[in-house]
Each structure stands twice: as structure tokens, then as C-alpha cells.
Amino acid sequence: MLRRFSRRFFLAALAGSTATTALSAPPTSSLRPSARGGDHFKKAIADPQAIIADARLGGRVCYAVADARTGAKLEGENAKIGTPPASVAKAITALYALSVLGATHRFTTRVVATGGVSGGVVQGDLVLVGGGDPTLDTNGLASLAAALKAQGIREVRGDFKVADGMFPQEPTIDKGQPDHVGYNPALSGIALNFNRVHFEWRRQGGQYTVSMDARSDRYRPDVAMARMALSERRAPVYTYVDGGRTDNWTVARGALGSGGARWLPVRKPALYAGDVFQTLARSQGIVLKNPQVVTRTPQGTTLASHQSGDLRTILRDMLRFSTNITAEMVGMAATVKRSGKPASLRASATEMNRWANAALGTSSMRLVDHSGLGDASKMTADDMVLALVRARQNNVLRPILKPIPMLDAQRRAIKNHPIEVHAKTGTLNFVSGLAGYMTARDGTEMAFAIFAADEATRAGIPRAERERPQGARSWNRRAKIMQQKLIERWGAVYGS
């Protein structure tokens, strides 16, 4: 049964070397088949060099695969060369956060009153205190505002402040990205809606109406600190200018069409959260002054608090949806607990590299952030596989990794495929990574890492074109096909 399956399943993976013989007449005597070993079919499977060459990616492909239980290395190529891991780096961040903070850790956002409360009146300031929660949304802020009203708060005599000093303030995750991409927002000790603002436009007659809001499934408060203006130009589609207390955007009128929407990054997280909380508090009858940003948390009485979900759930969603800001904030939270507030995002990533060397046995981690968005990050396939093998001992990572389906020629998921994969993908322009665990038909479990990068082509892309550069989509498709062929090879050679 196994031999029949192996021939049929791996026929598509052959290196195009199958020969066809035309018989002009039947044989005159019985043909005796020559004896073949039990693993003869493995000789027909394409070797990794042929699979890589067929992908036509340019640049370099680095990979390693090992027995997940013993760590015994099975195959590898360029496995000690540092390569941008893209979002595969989030798997290391998840291990870092779980180790330092613990799977049950929760982030808390608080509302603090200074000067005491008398007769429903806050005598001093009201302070929204960021607790590093990457999942705080408009619903969460609304619950805080409702809790204030439930406690009888009706007036604040002092100022309204937002304390965001838990983490260093960073205007972007990676300064090399275009201004308008929502996956590259600012960072600080408070975040709202993944630090994105919702921009929507509609055409009525020959005129457009535009709005900027902090919508959720229950609320849609307008945002005053993010502004959008239409511009009579063709390109660029978006421009951004720091307005001091505002994020000032313009958009090319000719690019808008009949209507649409997108999420834009927020560059002033504390003012954004303060703006939205001010609106939500007003809806509860509590009038607050315009928000002021402070880095130190004032002493006072906690009037209301909002907790995130547990860290394990946050990380599972991070790995599934690859949210950059979640990776950066949980990574920095781990650094704060491990060694104190870091001077910068890069300093926090350096601390994570030190932890990986000590806890996972890696030697060449050179990550510059926690999300993998910065292409200056470097990781080797050997180090990633070593980390996966170490994590396998406690089975902390595989259960929260995303299942990766095996696809047919039309890129449709193959049901009941004999190889099961749980892994983290990583994609930048002309960079593609995949690392995780695979279980072959016979139950053999392997840890693997595949990094492909054409760094020369990537470096030549103008900053303004980095959202959708020409050729990147087809390159990424070929990289993913290559990854699957390598996994199918390993399943056949080491798991049958």
C-alpha cells in the first residue's frame, strides 16, 4: 500500500526525467523484473537544487530541516547565511514573550484620577494610562468611559492626560516603508485599533465627502487628530505631513474612483487614543479637555480598568494574522520585564537576540525589530530550526502556529493531504520565508526553515513603490510553490 501511494503522490514532483518507451511488438518471452530496494522510488524525487532552480527566484535560497524530536539535521543549504526572515521573526518573538511574560499574562489599560473624587467630580486630572495592550480597540475605550459613568463620575476639574511612557516612542516600525501603509504605524505605550485610522470616501455628483474615524463593530467616533485633504494631482496617491498635534494627509482626487475605504497608519498613538476617549466620555456626559500626552504615570486612584485577553491567545492571533504592531508591543513588554524600558525598538530587539542565544542556543540572531518588517534583520535557517527543536520540547509554539494547507496546481487546498504543516509565513517584496513543523505520512515530525531573498532587486525598488512593486507578486508565488515542493520532498525522503 505504501509503495502504490508513494508512486502516485510524488509523480508530480519528479524532475521531468520520466522516460516513455514505444513498443513496436509484444515481447517474445516473459520479462523478469530486476530486484529493487524498498526505497527505490526516492531516487526519482527531485533533488533540492532542481527544485530551487526551477523556482527562478534569483538571489539566494537558504533552508534547513531536522528531526523535530532529536534535532538531527536531515538536509540544508546555505543554512548558516543570515537572511531577512520577514514575519517568520514573529515566531521568535512569540517564544520570547511566552518565556518572559508567561502564557496567562494580560495587559491592563487604566483610567486614573489625581487629587481625589468628591461628589462625582474629579478634583485633579483624569489620566488614561497605557499598559502596552496591542489589542485595545474602540470597544475597550467605550467600556472604560461607561465604567466612569457607572461610578458616578460627571465632571473633571483638571486636565485630561494620556500616559504612554511604558515603551519608547517610535514614529514607525520601519522607516523604509511608504508613509500610507497601515502595517507600519507608530509605537508607544498605548495603541488603539492597531494604531490605524479608518479613511473613507464617497462621491456624490462631482464632489467627494471624506471621513476619518476609529470605527469598531459597535462604534464609529470621528477623529479630529487625523485629517485628510483632497489634492488635484495624479501621483503620489498619498502624502503625509506631521502637523504637531495632528496627522495631516492628502490624497490624489484622481485615484479615488466612485468610493472606497482603507486603514491608514497613526503616527501619534497617545493623541489618537485621547481623541477617541474624549468623544466616548462625552457620550456618557463627561466633558474632558483636549488630551495632553505625558510619559510618566501620575499617582492617583484607579477608577476603571480594561484587561486584554491572555497572552497565548494574543500570540495565536498575531501568528495567524501577522500583525506587526502586536509583535512589537509584546516584544517590548517582554524586554521591559526582563531588563527595563529599552531605549528604542532596536534596543529591545537586541535584548531578544541575547535571550534567544541563551535560551534557544542560537548564535547568529540579528533582528532589528520584533515583527520582521525591517529588512536589516538577519536570521539563519540553522538558528531557526534550532529554536523550533528547542520549542518542541515543551510544545509551546506548534499549537499556536497557523495550519498551512498543501495546494494543488490551481492553488486550492488539498483535502486530507498526508503531510500536515504548522508554520509561520513571512513576506516582504522579493523576500519569502516559511518555518515551522511538518508531520509526514508515517508520523515523522520535522522542524524546517526556508528563507528566499533577492535582496539586490528589493534594494532597487523606490520607496514610493514598495507597497506593490512590479514582479513581486509572481516572485512570491514561485517562492511558495518552491516551499511546498521542498516540504513534499522531505515528506517522501524522510517520512515514508
Side-chain angles (χ1 to χ4, degrees):
M1 182 65 72
L2 175 60
R3 183 174 298 174
R4 290 198 301 274
F5 166 79
S6 299
R7 290 197 194 99
R8 183 172 62 254
F9 175 73
F10 293 105
L11 187 60
L14 300 182
S17 58
T18 304
T20 302
T21 302
L23 298 178
S24 57
T28 58
S29 61
S30 176
L31 298 179
R32 183 184 299 274
S34 59
R36 294 182 291 180
D39 63 348
H40 66 88
F41 72 93
K42 297 181 180 180
K43 298 178 181 178
I45 300 168
D47 63 34
Q49 289 77 21
I51 293 172
I52 293 169
D54 187 55
R56 299 174 288 110
L57 298 176
R60 180 185 292 117
V61 175
C62 310
Y63 73 88
V65 60
D67 186 293
R69 292 179 172 83
T70 68
K73 189 169 181 179
L74 304 174
E75 267 186 23
E77 176 111 8
N78 299 320
K80 297 186 183 300
I81 298 177
T83 308
S87 286
V88 171
K90 292 183 176 75
I92 300 299
T93 300
L95 292 174
Y96 181 47
L98 287 170
S99 174
V100 177
L101 299 174
T104 60
H105 178 81
R106 295 175 186 268
F107 300 93
T108 303
T109 305
R110 299 181 296 138
V111 179
V112 173
T114 68
V117 178
S118 177
V121 178
V122 176
Q123 301 300 310
D125 300 331
L126 192 76
V127 187
L128 178 65
V129 181
D133 182 1
T135 65
L136 180 67
D137 61 5
T138 298
N139 292 347
L141 282 189
S143 70
L144 286 172
L148 290 182
K149 182 179 180 180
Q151 290 203 30
I153 302 299
R154 57 184 177 82
E155 183 182 346
V156 176
R157 289 186 175 171
D159 293 326
F160 171 45
K161 298 178 179 179
V162 182
D164 70 344
M166 181 177 178
F167 301 149
Q169 298 180 9
E170 301 277 356
T172 62
I173 298 172
D174 175 36
K175 64 182 181 181
Q177 301 293 327
D179 287 334
H180 64 277
V181 292
Y183 54 76
N184 187 39
L187 300 172
S188 75
I190 193 167
L192 178 66
N193 301 327
F194 303 107
N195 282 347
R196 299 178 308 166
V197 62
H198 190 262
F199 166 48
E200 185 172 12
W201 63 95
R202 294 181 180 179
R203 185 168 64 185
Q204 297 176 338
Q207 301 297 318
Y208 284 98
T209 59
V210 299
S211 63
M212 303 284 268
D213 63 67
R215 67 180 54 192
S216 67
D217 59 342
R218 295 166 55 192
Y219 304 97
R220 187 176 172 175
D222 289 334
V223 174
M225 58 75 58
R227 302 174 179 178
M228 178 64 73
L230 302 182
S231 177
E232 299 294 342
R233 64 171 187 268
R234 290 186 174 274
V237 176
Y238 293 96
T239 67
Y240 171 80
V241 174
D242 185 341
R245 287 184 58 85
T246 57
D247 283 342
N248 294 341
W249 294 93
T250 72
V251 62
R253 182 188 294 268
L256 294 181
S258 60
R262 72 171 293 158
W263 291 91
L264 294 171
V266 168
R267 299 284 178 236
K268 305 176 190 304
L271 286 174
Y272 178 48
D275 185 340
V276 175
F277 187 73
Q278 183 184 37
T279 299
L280 296 169
R282 188 184 303 116
S283 72
Q284 299 289 348
I286 306 168
V287 178
L288 302 177
K289 296 177 182 177
N290 290 334
Q292 301 176 21
V293 179
V294 296
T295 56
R296 291 189 177 183
T297 303
Q299 296 297 315
T301 303
T302 297
L303 300 179
S305 62
H306 173 80
Q307 280 198 329
S308 72
D310 64 87
L311 181 62
R312 186 181 185 276
T313 300
I314 290 173
L315 293 175
R316 182 198 63 199
D317 291 345
M318 176 196 77
L319 293 170
R320 179 182 179 185
F321 299 109
S322 207
T323 44
N324 292 330
I325 191 171
T326 302
E328 305 303 355
M329 293 184 74
V330 299
M332 286 196 287
T335 297
V336 168
K337 183 173 181 180
R338 176 176 161 86
S339 60
K341 179 180 175 180
S344 64
L345 173 59
R346 189 163 192 148
S348 182
T350 299
E351 185 64 23
M352 185 172 74
N353 295 337
R354 294 191 192 100
W355 169 85
N357 291 338
L360 303 177
T362 60
S363 59
S364 304
M365 286 284 181
R366 289 183 289 147
L367 302 177
V368 301
D369 54 37
H370 298 290
S371 66
L373 185 58
D375 59 7
S377 285
K378 295 291 187 291
M379 182 189 297
T380 69
D382 270 353
D383 268 357
M384 188 65 221
V385 167
L386 179 58
L388 290 166
V389 171
R390 292 288 179 90
R392 175 63 179 79
Q393 296 172 4
N394 297 321
N395 199 31
V396 295
L397 186 61
R398 180 165 184 161
I400 61 175
L401 285 172
K402 181 180 178 180
I404 305 295
M406 305 294 278
L407 306 179
D408 62 18
Q410 285 73 45
R411 311 304 291 162
R412 298 173 301 194
I414 302 172
K415 295 182 179 180
N416 302 317
H417 195 283
I419 298 176
E420 183 181 280
V421 179
H422 290 78
K424 182 69 192 82
T425 59
T427 304
L428 296 171
N429 296 322
F430 299 99
V431 173
S432 181
L434 184 68
Y437 303 95
M438 59 173 285
T439 303
R441 179 182 173 87
D442 68 351
T444 299
E445 187 177 358
M446 290 167 258
F448 69 91
I450 308 168
F451 297 133
D454 185 348
E455 295 183 75
T457 299
R458 176 174 171 78
I461 304 170
R463 181 172 179 268
E465 298 176 13
R466 289 186 179 179
E467 187 175 18
R468 295 184 183 89
Q470 185 176 4
R473 185 174 181 178
S474 62
W475 188 96
N476 183 61
R477 180 185 175 94
R478 296 196 303 275
K480 290 186 180 302
I481 292 172
M482 176 198 70
Q483 292 162 1
Q484 177 165 319
K485 287 183 177 179
L486 287 173
I487 289 170
E488 288 174 338
R489 167 188 163 76
W490 298 332
V493 174
Y494 304 110
S496 298

mmCIF file of all heavy atoms in Angstrom, residues 5 52 60 120 161 196 203 217 248 289 297 301 373 397 414 421 453 467 487:
data_model
loop_
_atom_site.group_PDB
_atom_site.id
_atom_site.type_symbol
_atom_site.label_atom_id
_atom_site.label_comp_id
_atom_site.label_asym_id
_atom_site.label_seq_id
_atom_site.Cartn_x
_atom_site.Cartn_y
_atom_site.Cartn_z
ATOM 1 N N PHE A 5 1.055 4.272 -2.991
ATOM 2 C CA PHE A 5 0.828 5.697 -2.642
ATOM 3 C C PHE A 5 2.010 6.558 -3.042
ATOM 4 O O PHE A 5 1.880 7.634 -3.585
ATOM 5 C CB PHE A 5 0.586 5.844 -1.132
ATOM 6 C CG PHE A 5 0.686 7.260 -0.681
ATOM 7 C CD1 PHE A 5 -0.371 8.137 -0.877
ATOM 8 C CD2 PHE A 5 1.861 7.743 -0.113
ATOM 9 C CE1 PHE A 5 -0.267 9.443 -0.483
ATOM 10 C CE2 PHE A 5 1.961 9.060 0.280
ATOM 11 C CZ PHE A 5 0.907 9.890 0.095
ATOM 12 N N ILE A 52 14.900 24.335 -6.391
ATOM 13 C CA ILE A 52 15.253 25.750 -6.243
ATOM 14 C C ILE A 52 15.497 26.398 -7.595
ATOM 15 O O ILE A 52 15.035 27.516 -7.859
ATOM 16 C CB ILE A 52 16.482 25.891 -5.323
ATOM 17 C CG1 ILE A 52 16.117 25.476 -3.886
ATOM 18 C CG2 ILE A 52 17.029 27.317 -5.348
ATOM 19 C CD1 ILE A 52 17.298 25.333 -2.961
ATOM 20 N N ARG A 60 19.223 34.328 -3.247
ATOM 21 C CA ARG A 60 19.706 33.147 -2.532
ATOM 22 C C ARG A 60 18.552 32.467 -1.817
ATOM 23 O O ARG A 60 17.645 33.124 -1.297
ATOM 24 C CB ARG A 60 20.771 33.547 -1.515
ATOM 25 C CG ARG A 60 21.335 32.375 -0.714
ATOM 26 C CD ARG A 60 22.296 32.841 0.365
ATOM 27 N NE ARG A 60 23.521 33.390 -0.198
ATOM 28 C CZ ARG A 60 23.919 34.642 -0.063
ATOM 29 N NH1 ARG A 60 23.171 35.497 0.622
ATOM 30 N NH2 ARG A 60 25.052 35.055 -0.590
ATOM 31 N N GLY A 120 -18.746 62.929 42.697
ATOM 32 C CA GLY A 120 -18.721 62.645 41.267
ATOM 33 C C GLY A 120 -17.815 63.559 40.470
ATOM 34 O O GLY A 120 -17.778 63.476 39.241
ATOM 35 N N LYS A 161 -5.214 63.746 30.493
ATOM 36 C CA LYS A 161 -3.886 63.366 30.025
ATOM 37 C C LYS A 161 -3.880 61.907 29.564
ATOM 38 O O LYS A 161 -4.675 61.090 30.024
ATOM 39 C CB LYS A 161 -2.855 63.563 31.144
ATOM 40 C CG LYS A 161 -2.736 65.013 31.607
ATOM 41 C CD LYS A 161 -1.752 65.167 32.749
ATOM 42 C CE LYS A 161 -1.628 66.631 33.166
ATOM 43 N NZ LYS A 161 -0.686 66.808 34.306
ATOM 44 N N ARG A 196 -4.310 52.406 13.754
ATOM 45 C CA ARG A 196 -4.769 52.700 12.397
ATOM 46 C C ARG A 196 -6.052 53.523 12.493
ATOM 47 O O ARG A 196 -6.877 53.321 13.381
ATOM 48 C CB ARG A 196 -5.054 51.419 11.610
ATOM 49 C CG ARG A 196 -3.861 50.500 11.429
ATOM 50 C CD ARG A 196 -4.260 49.243 10.692
ATOM 51 N NE ARG A 196 -5.416 48.618 11.345
ATOM 52 C CZ ARG A 196 -6.154 47.665 10.782
ATOM 53 N NH1 ARG A 196 -5.878 47.249 9.560
ATOM 54 N NH2 ARG A 196 -7.185 47.136 11.422
ATOM 55 N N ARG A 203 -18.299 59.529 -3.478
ATOM 56 C CA ARG A 203 -18.540 60.570 -4.485
ATOM 57 C C ARG A 203 -20.037 60.772 -4.648
ATOM 58 O O ARG A 203 -20.797 59.820 -4.832
ATOM 59 C CB ARG A 203 -17.928 60.170 -5.825
ATOM 60 C CG ARG A 203 -18.041 61.289 -6.879
ATOM 61 C CD ARG A 203 -17.188 61.006 -8.092
ATOM 62 N NE ARG A 203 -17.621 59.809 -8.796
ATOM 63 C CZ ARG A 203 -16.975 59.285 -9.841
ATOM 64 N NH1 ARG A 203 -15.846 59.855 -10.253
ATOM 65 N NH2 ARG A 203 -17.422 58.196 -10.425
ATOM 66 N N ASP A 217 -16.959 47.363 15.531
ATOM 67 C CA ASP A 217 -18.240 46.765 15.157
ATOM 68 C C ASP A 217 -19.412 47.411 15.888
ATOM 69 O O ASP A 217 -20.571 47.168 15.526
ATOM 70 C CB ASP A 217 -18.218 45.255 15.427
ATOM 71 C CG ASP A 217 -17.955 44.922 16.890
ATOM 72 O OD1 ASP A 217 -17.459 45.796 17.627
ATOM 73 O OD2 ASP A 217 -18.240 43.777 17.298
ATOM 74 N N ASN A 248 -1.508 64.954 9.234
ATOM 75 C CA ASN A 248 -2.086 65.626 8.071
ATOM 76 C C ASN A 248 -1.815 64.825 6.800
ATOM 77 O O ASN A 248 -0.658 64.678 6.384
ATOM 78 C CB ASN A 248 -1.511 67.040 7.936
ATOM 79 C CG ASN A 248 -1.924 67.941 9.087
ATOM 80 O OD1 ASN A 248 -2.891 67.667 9.799
ATOM 81 N ND2 ASN A 248 -1.199 69.033 9.274
ATOM 82 N N LYS A 289 -11.197 67.988 28.713
ATOM 83 C CA LYS A 289 -10.401 68.922 27.919
ATOM 84 C C LYS A 289 -9.636 68.147 26.853
ATOM 85 O O LYS A 289 -9.552 66.913 26.877
ATOM 86 C CB LYS A 289 -9.440 69.685 28.830
ATOM 87 C CG LYS A 289 -10.137 70.569 29.865
ATOM 88 C CD LYS A 289 -9.125 71.235 30.776
ATOM 89 C CE LYS A 289 -9.830 72.081 31.848
ATOM 90 N NZ LYS A 289 -8.859 72.696 32.797
ATOM 91 N N THR A 297 3.508 58.205 34.543
ATOM 92 C CA THR A 297 2.167 57.962 35.060
ATOM 93 C C THR A 297 1.998 58.660 36.402
ATOM 94 O O THR A 297 2.709 58.342 37.358
ATOM 95 C CB THR A 297 1.918 56.457 35.242
ATOM 96 O OG1 THR A 297 2.124 55.792 33.999
ATOM 97 C CG2 THR A 297 0.506 56.197 35.736
ATOM 98 N N THR A 301 -5.844 57.519 41.991
ATOM 99 C CA THR A 301 -6.787 56.424 42.219
ATOM 100 C C THR A 301 -7.264 55.861 40.893
ATOM 101 O O THR A 301 -7.707 56.609 40.009
ATOM 102 C CB THR A 301 -8.005 56.933 43.018
ATOM 103 O OG1 THR A 301 -7.552 57.506 44.254
ATOM 104 C CG2 THR A 301 -8.980 55.798 43.300
ATOM 105 N N LEU A 373 9.564 43.285 10.000
ATOM 106 C CA LEU A 373 9.274 44.240 8.932
ATOM 107 C C LEU A 373 10.542 44.890 8.392
ATOM 108 O O LEU A 373 10.643 45.176 7.197
ATOM 109 C CB LEU A 373 8.306 45.309 9.430
ATOM 110 C CG LEU A 373 7.817 46.320 8.393
ATOM 111 C CD1 LEU A 373 7.116 45.635 7.234
ATOM 112 C CD2 LEU A 373 6.882 47.344 9.036
ATOM 113 N N LEU A 397 4.956 26.217 20.942
ATOM 114 C CA LEU A 397 4.794 27.003 19.720
ATOM 115 C C LEU A 397 3.854 26.366 18.718
ATOM 116 O O LEU A 397 2.974 27.041 18.169
ATOM 117 C CB LEU A 397 6.154 27.257 19.074
ATOM 118 C CG LEU A 397 6.146 28.189 17.858
ATOM 119 C CD1 LEU A 397 5.624 29.575 18.240
ATOM 120 C CD2 LEU A 397 7.550 28.304 17.257
ATOM 121 N N ILE A 414 -5.597 21.060 -0.737
ATOM 122 C CA ILE A 414 -5.808 19.634 -0.961
ATOM 123 C C ILE A 414 -6.335 19.019 0.333
ATOM 124 O O ILE A 414 -5.652 19.036 1.362
ATOM 125 C CB ILE A 414 -4.506 18.936 -1.384
ATOM 126 C CG1 ILE A 414 -3.947 19.570 -2.658
ATOM 127 C CG2 ILE A 414 -4.740 17.441 -1.571
ATOM 128 C CD1 ILE A 414 -2.563 19.065 -3.042
ATOM 129 N N VAL A 421 1.234 20.560 8.071
ATOM 130 C CA VAL A 421 2.196 21.641 8.303
ATOM 131 C C VAL A 421 1.587 22.696 9.215
ATOM 132 O O VAL A 421 0.459 23.146 8.987
ATOM 133 C CB VAL A 421 2.642 22.299 6.976
ATOM 134 C CG1 VAL A 421 3.627 23.440 7.239
ATOM 135 C CG2 VAL A 421 3.257 21.265 6.043
ATOM 136 N N ALA A 453 15.487 35.155 -0.675
ATOM 137 C CA ALA A 453 15.577 36.614 -0.757
ATOM 138 C C ALA A 453 16.387 37.027 -1.977
ATOM 139 O O ALA A 453 17.500 36.547 -2.188
ATOM 140 C CB ALA A 453 16.221 37.181 0.508
ATOM 141 N N GLU A 467 4.726 49.295 -1.854
ATOM 142 C CA GLU A 467 3.508 48.582 -1.480
ATOM 143 C C GLU A 467 3.208 47.466 -2.473
ATOM 144 O O GLU A 467 2.882 46.347 -2.073
ATOM 145 C CB GLU A 467 2.326 49.543 -1.386
ATOM 146 C CG GLU A 467 1.077 48.864 -0.825
ATOM 147 C CD GLU A 467 -0.075 49.818 -0.606
ATOM 148 O OE1 GLU A 467 -0.074 50.941 -1.173
ATOM 149 O OE2 GLU A 467 -0.998 49.456 0.132
ATOM 150 N N ILE A 487 8.937 20.750 0.972
ATOM 151 C CA ILE A 487 8.240 20.023 2.036
ATOM 152 C C ILE A 487 7.785 18.648 1.548
ATOM 153 O O ILE A 487 7.926 17.643 2.258
ATOM 154 C CB ILE A 487 7.045 20.860 2.528
ATOM 155 C CG1 ILE A 487 7.549 22.072 3.312
ATOM 156 C CG2 ILE A 487 6.100 20.022 3.398
ATOM 157 C CD1 ILE A 487 6.483 23.092 3.645
#
